[in-house]
């Protein structure tokens, strides 16, 4: 796979659809300055819009439209991209997503089914809908077009002058980190950060292959993939990346710091990468310049809901 | 007054203290793209940190420290700048500021007095404290160093590549718009936006001099100055700027749009300038490129409080 070419093509497809998100440098979040990419300001509050636009723009969408299963952010992004590109969308959302994310999807006008249980249950129903109705499924993380779309984020960040040696990225199913690894190809160090209670990548790297893990905790509705994607696993294993975990308390503390220091209101998953730095799960070398990807802002409850 | 020189000096003084705030372009907020300056991501959630740092860094602060009266954002900024530069601070806050902003000031460790009533009552107490204790007062908007500090914002925005013909700016006491006018000197069109219920600048331009106005409404705790500052009035009158007002409903609608479209959570005052565009109080010419200054993020209640 020529990932650089795939990501360049994706960047061209999503230009004018996905938001170019701002960057800033903060001296208030950690003992040294930290570069931030404010990707939670993306349409629908997370990076997922990139993969969604890339997928829908790259393929012939059937008359039956799009179907997706999602803990919330992916479903919202697919629903939004479908509306903007003029396709029907049916989204299966696990109850765990919560009313704030469910409301976000409802406002796009997509057909919405709330499924009792967790992500895997919604995914089962989406697969059935795909088979029965002929709708096209957009996978949340383990598909080439999704990964290439998420890879545009790191491409964009580098074009914005990213100077850091090391980038910390939260991991759920692995679409975002796969895109970053696919773009960077070892040019910078990437640190994967997972909640201790949703550690699909750490467990896979330990086991030597993707394995199922239980998922729970404050970031589970965004990072709670039961199994890491094969694409993410292969890239992470090949590049030998660092993978650390953080407890829920550290995630909530990082969430609070982002809000109090900079009025950046993010969901717990969006603060997960910063937590690794603040809590000491990842300790940079002296002089190592670090960057943190802020990936999701769909906090619950909705503060203006 | 050589404002350009004053603002250049201010920029040098506050470098490394004030946050360089990011910019972005949105295609989702109005019928054409709008440039945004995300100044609500400044330390303590508003542009006020610029004037506070500039003032404290430019003068010899007395042993008795700093005193300020503030509806919230200025007090928070002065308290923060004082702590960072090693000075004592006493802040008089009118009750109208509300618990979110009062909590913000408390967390800086400043001495805090909550005064029953509105801004003018807190200002009276601050003046008395200044006389009796020998503390130095930092004026919220009508002082050269404050205005020059706020002027660094427009200087920074131009350095970040601002391309707009017209910039919309919310007005309370006028420190921010004075800084912008002082820097721009007519190089771009500036539109002043006030809530209909806090229209100190519009009333002054009508009357031909600053006059007292009643203040109320959703943005009163940030924009509710009873009288426009003389510096702001003189600059606005000399440059013949456009001045428009917006109703509270339009402000709340703009606040909701910023959150739903981009996960930018701002206080009503921070959405006031956008409201003028969305509600049609200011109607740009075809082809006129517009920019909106997002100036404050201290929303209440505190979503993580």
């Amino acid at each position: 796979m020529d990932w650089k070419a795939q990501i360049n093509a994706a960047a061209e497809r999503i230009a004018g659809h996905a938001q170019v998100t701002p960057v800033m440098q903060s001296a208030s979040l950690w003992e040294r300055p930290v570069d931030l990419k404010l990707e939670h300001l993306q349409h629908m509050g997370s990076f997922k819009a990139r993969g969604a636009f890339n997928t829908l723009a790259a393929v012939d969408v059937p008359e039956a439209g799009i179907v997706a299963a999602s803990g919330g952010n992916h479903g919202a992004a697919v629903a939004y991209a479908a509306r903007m590109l003029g396709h029907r969308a049916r989204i299966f959302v696990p109850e765990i997503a919560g009313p704030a994310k469910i409301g976000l999807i409802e406002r796009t006008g997509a057909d919405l089914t709330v499924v009792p249980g967790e992500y895997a249950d919604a995914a089962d129903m989406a697969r059935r809908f795909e088979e029965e109705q002929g709708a096209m499924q957009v996978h949340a993380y383990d598909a080439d077009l999704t990964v290439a779309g998420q890879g545009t984020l790191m491409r964009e960040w580098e074009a914005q002058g990213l100077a850091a040696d090391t980038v910390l990225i939260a991991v759920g199913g692995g679409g975002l980190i796969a895109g970053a690894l696919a773009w960077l190809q070892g040019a910078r160090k990437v640190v994967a950060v997972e909640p201790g209670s949703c550690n699909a990548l750490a467990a896979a790297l330990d086991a030597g292959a993707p394995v199922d893990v239980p998922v729970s905790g404050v970031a589970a509705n965004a990072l709670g993939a039961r199994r890491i994607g094969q694409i993410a696993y292969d890239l992470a294993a090949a590049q030998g990346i660092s993978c650390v975990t953080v407890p829920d308390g550290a995630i909530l503390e990082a969430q609070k710091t982002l809000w109090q220091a900079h009025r950046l209101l993010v969901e717990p998953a969006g603060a997960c990468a910063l937590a690794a730095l603040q809590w000491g799960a990842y300790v940079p070398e002296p002089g190592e310049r670090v960057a943190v990807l802020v990936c999701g802002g769909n906090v619950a409850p909705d503060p203006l809901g």
Side-chain angles (χ1 to χ4, degrees), chain A residues 249-264:
Chain A
I251 294 173
L252 294 176
E253 192 56 37
Q255 182 192 29
K256 200 156 199 171
T257 316
L258 283 166
W259 172 246
Q260 291 189 342
H262 292 300
R263 292 306 184 225
L264 297 166

Side-chain angles (χ1 to χ4, degrees), chain A residues 27-272:
Chain A
S28 311
L29 295 172
W30 184 58
E31 61 196 55
R32 297 202 301 270
V34 177
D35 286 326
L36 303 175
K37 174 78 166 163
L38 308 183
E39 183 66 11
H40 68 296
L41 306 183
Q42 185 56 257
H43 295 304
M44 307 306 277
S46 88
F47 66 92
K48 299 277 192 178
R50 297 175 184 269
F53 274 116
N54 187 45
T55 304
L56 298 194
V59 301
D60 286 328
V61 175
E63 193 66 33
I66 311 296
V67 59
S70 166
N73 288 338
H74 174 65
V78 168
Y80 176 83
R83 191 192 63 188
M84 297 307 278
L85 300 176
H87 304 298
R88 295 176 57 191
R90 159 75 63 172
I91 314 294
F92 292 92
V93 181
E95 233 170 4
I96 190 182
K101 288 186 183 177
I102 292 171
L104 190 65
I105 298 174
E106 273 172 342
R107 283 196 298 275
T108 68
D111 299 320
L112 180 69
T113 306
V114 179
V115 182
E118 62 181 63
Y119 172 70
D121 303 302
D124 285 346
M125 289 197 63
R127 261 191 302 275
R128 209 170 321 142
F129 186 89
E130 181 185 11
E131 284 162 22
E132 289 169 8
Q133 307 289 324
M136 189 188 101
Q137 178 141 207
V138 181
H139 195 280
Y141 49 86
D142 204 19
D144 291 349
L145 287 168
T146 303
V147 168
Q150 320 310 26
T152 63
L153 189 158
M154 193 57 68
R155 179 182 184 276
E156 179 178 296
W157 201 355
E158 291 203 317
Q160 289 169 317
L162 176 65
D165 306 299
T166 303
V167 184
L168 286 85
I169 301 177
V171 176
L176 179 56
I177 202 162
L181 294 169
W183 176 257
L184 289 172
Q185 301 285 345
R188 299 172 202 266
K189 183 173 182 180
V190 173
V191 178
V193 184
E194 295 182 304
S197 54
C198 312
N199 63 343
L201 177 57
L205 292 171
D206 274 358
V211 291
D212 280 1
V213 295
V215 300
S216 64
V218 294
N221 78 8
L223 303 181
R226 205 184 275 175
R227 179 186 280 243
I228 194 76
Q230 190 69 44
I231 300 172
Y233 174 77
D234 288 343
L235 284 161
Q239 295 190 22
I241 69 164
S242 302
C243 185
V244 301
T245 58
V246 289
D248 277 7
I251 294 173
L252 294 176
E253 192 56 37
Q255 182 192 29
K256 200 156 199 171
T257 316
L258 283 166
W259 172 246
Q260 291 189 342
H262 292 300
R263 292 306 184 225
L264 297 166
L265 185 61
V266 304
E267 62 187 288
C272 184

